[in-house]
């Protein structure tokens, strides 16, 4: 029997999404009879538009995408499998020491991640939690990540919030120093997950179950693999990233329990993320967990 072809859209190519590439290159999708093609979104085709117009059957992204759509009265896109259980961004500073305190950001310029709002929204929550009024921090979200990194290298800004592999590259260069892990600072929450349409949930549930079973096998392997093993397996997805940088990025993510140990997207994490987006003014009202999350597939896979 020939494999069932499936197009999956990701928001951007990142080591943060390692579980996806472990599932792909570890042969777990193939073992479930799925021929998965991963495409990276663009301004023309986003993770949500690809689902809505049928270009993709599954997309990887934050629950914030579905909350935003629901808040604006748009179509319902439902999340069915958790991938990342922590914020994957890091706060870097130009100078080493003294010991970092969040109050040091007051009156400073922070180059933040422009491609998605969740890192920024989490930053607002963390600042408020530590008694810092976000209005006292000049947060710039105007540059795509490569331009933000280039601007920081060129001397603009006091702090940079970025992901991987840029964090490891800048640390290795000595251009930046680690101030804080946003994964540790924000705490556990369902940062990234797989989503699909309500129609697909009804009509292609068996396929989505196989997809989730493949992911769960990858998650189980990730939980016991070394950083070197993981970095080697995902190498085809990151041909331009040096092997030592790739390994260091994976090691840092593993150390802070970034990746979900199972695909179940639980209600407390959803509510925490929703509160972050409400507090930051990204959404205007609450949306029911049951309307935007279907945990039935993941529960079945884990329980089986």
């Amino acid at each position: 029997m020939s494999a069932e072809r499936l197009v999956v859209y990701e928001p951007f190519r990142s080591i943060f999404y390692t579980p996806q590439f472990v599932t792909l290159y570890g042969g777990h999708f193939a073992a479930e009879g799925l021929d998965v093609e991963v495409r990276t979104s663009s301004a023309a085709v986003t993770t949500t538009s690809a689902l809505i117009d049928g270009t993709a059957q599954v997309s990887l992204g934050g629950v914030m995408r579905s909350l935003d759509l629901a808040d604006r009265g748009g179509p319902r896109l439902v999340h069915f499998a958790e991938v990342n259980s922590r914020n994957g961004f890091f706060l870097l500073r130009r100078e080493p020491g003294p010991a970092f305190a969040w109050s040091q950001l007051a009156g400073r310029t922070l180059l933040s991640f422009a491609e998605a709002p969740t890192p920024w929204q989490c930053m607002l929550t963390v600042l408020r939690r530590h008694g810092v009024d976000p209005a006292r921090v000049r947060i710039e979200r105007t540059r795509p990540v490569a331009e933000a990194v280039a601007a920081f290298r060129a001397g603009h800004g006091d702090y940079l919030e970025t992901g991987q592999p840029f964090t490891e590259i800048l640390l290795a260069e000595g251009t930046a120093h680690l101030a804080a892990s946003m994964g540790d600072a924000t705490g556990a929450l369902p940062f990234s997950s797989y989503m699909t349409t309500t129609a697909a949930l009804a009509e292609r549930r068996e396929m989505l179950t196989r997809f989730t079973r493949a992911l769960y096998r990858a998650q189980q392997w990730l939980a016991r693999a070394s950083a070197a093993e993981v970095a080697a397996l995902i190498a085809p997805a990151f041909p331009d990233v040096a092997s030592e940088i790739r390994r260091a990025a994976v090691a840092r993510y593993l150390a802070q329990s970034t990746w979900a140990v199972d695909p179940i997207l639980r209600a407390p994490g959803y509510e925490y993320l929703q509160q972050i987006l409400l507090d930051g003014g990204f959404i205007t009202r609450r949306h029911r967990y049951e309307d935007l999350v279907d945990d039935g597939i993941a529960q079945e896979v884990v329980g089986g």
Side-chain angles (χ1 to χ4, degrees):
M1 183 183 294
S2 61
E4 185 173 0
R5 188 168 180 277
L6 187 65
V7 174
V8 175
Y9 264 76
E10 62 181 4
F12 41 85
R13 181 56 51 97
S14 174
I15 294 171
F16 188 37
Y17 299 136
T18 281
Q20 172 170 263
F21 300 110
V22 168
T23 315
L24 182 64
Y25 295 117
H28 302 293
F29 283 136
E32 290 292 338
L34 298 173
D35 175 15
V36 172
E37 177 191 353
V38 176
R39 299 179 187 171
T40 306
S41 69
S42 64
V45 184
T46 67
T47 54
T48 53
S49 72
L51 289 176
I52 293 166
D53 69 16
T55 301
Q57 292 75 51
V58 172
S59 282
L60 176 61
V63 173
M64 119 350 246
R65 302 287 180 194
S66 295
L67 285 165
D68 179 43
L69 270 175
D71 216 52
R72 294 185 286 113
R76 198 154 55 93
L77 297 180
V78 180
H79 294 251
F80 64 92
E82 186 169 324
V83 175
N84 293 330
S85 297
R86 294 265 174 173
N87 186 328
F89 290 78
F90 300 89
L91 181 65
L92 306 181
R93 58 181 173 176
R94 194 171 295 287
E95 305 295 336
F100 174 72
W102 291 96
S103 58
Q104 293 165 8
L105 271 75
R108 301 291 184 174
T109 298
L110 164 61
L111 309 186
S112 188
F113 188 71
E115 283 87 340
T118 309
W120 165 55
Q121 292 281 304
C122 289
M123 176 63 74
L124 299 181
T125 289
V126 170
L127 288 171
R128 287 190 294 264
R129 184 180 296 155
H130 289 274
V132 180
D133 181 355
R136 297 187 62 208
V137 184
R138 290 188 294 273
I139 301 176
E140 296 184 3
R141 297 184 60 243
T142 56
R143 298 172 179 86
V145 63
E147 292 179 23
V149 169
F152 189 77
R153 276 194 178 117
H156 182 68
D158 303 294
Y159 292 87
L160 172 70
E161 184 183 17
T162 194
Q164 296 286 17
F166 301 103
T167 292
E168 301 306 329
I169 292 170
L170 292 169
L171 293 177
E173 288 176 355
T175 304
H177 302 270
L178 184 66
S181 157
M182 294 308 298
D184 290 339
T186 309
L189 79 172
F191 205 90
S192 314
S193 43
Y194 283 113
M195 57 183 160
T196 191
T197 61
T198 53
L201 277 171
E203 299 161 12
R204 305 191 69 179
R205 200 169 184 87
E206 187 271 339
M207 178 273 288
L208 294 172
T209 300
R210 286 187 283 132
F211 183 95
T212 306
R213 189 181 299 123
L215 172 64
Y216 185 39
R217 283 206 202 96
Q219 290 170 328
Q220 291 173 303
W221 181 85
L222 259 175
R224 60 179 185 270
S226 68
E229 290 171 325
V230 176
L233 182 59
I234 67 171
F238 305 97
D240 299 327
V241 179
S243 60
E244 184 51 35
I245 293 293
R246 193 171 61 248
R247 189 208 62 77
V250 168
R252 197 178 298 276
Y253 277 142
L254 283 172
Q256 66 178 37
S257 303
T258 301
W259 298 312
V261 297
D262 65 51
I264 302 170
L265 200 166
R266 295 167 174 84
Y270 170 90
E271 295 298 348
Y272 175 38
L273 179 55
Q274 177 163 232
Q275 191 62 53
I276 286 173
L277 300 176
L278 280 165
D279 291 345
F282 183 74
I283 56 174
T284 60
R285 64 188 190 280
R286 291 191 176 279
H287 301 273
R288 295 194 323 151
Y289 168 83
E290 295 81 5
D291 291 338
L292 297 180
V293 177
D294 182 334
D295 70 343
I297 292 173
Q299 292 280 6
E300 177 186 335
V301 164
V302 173

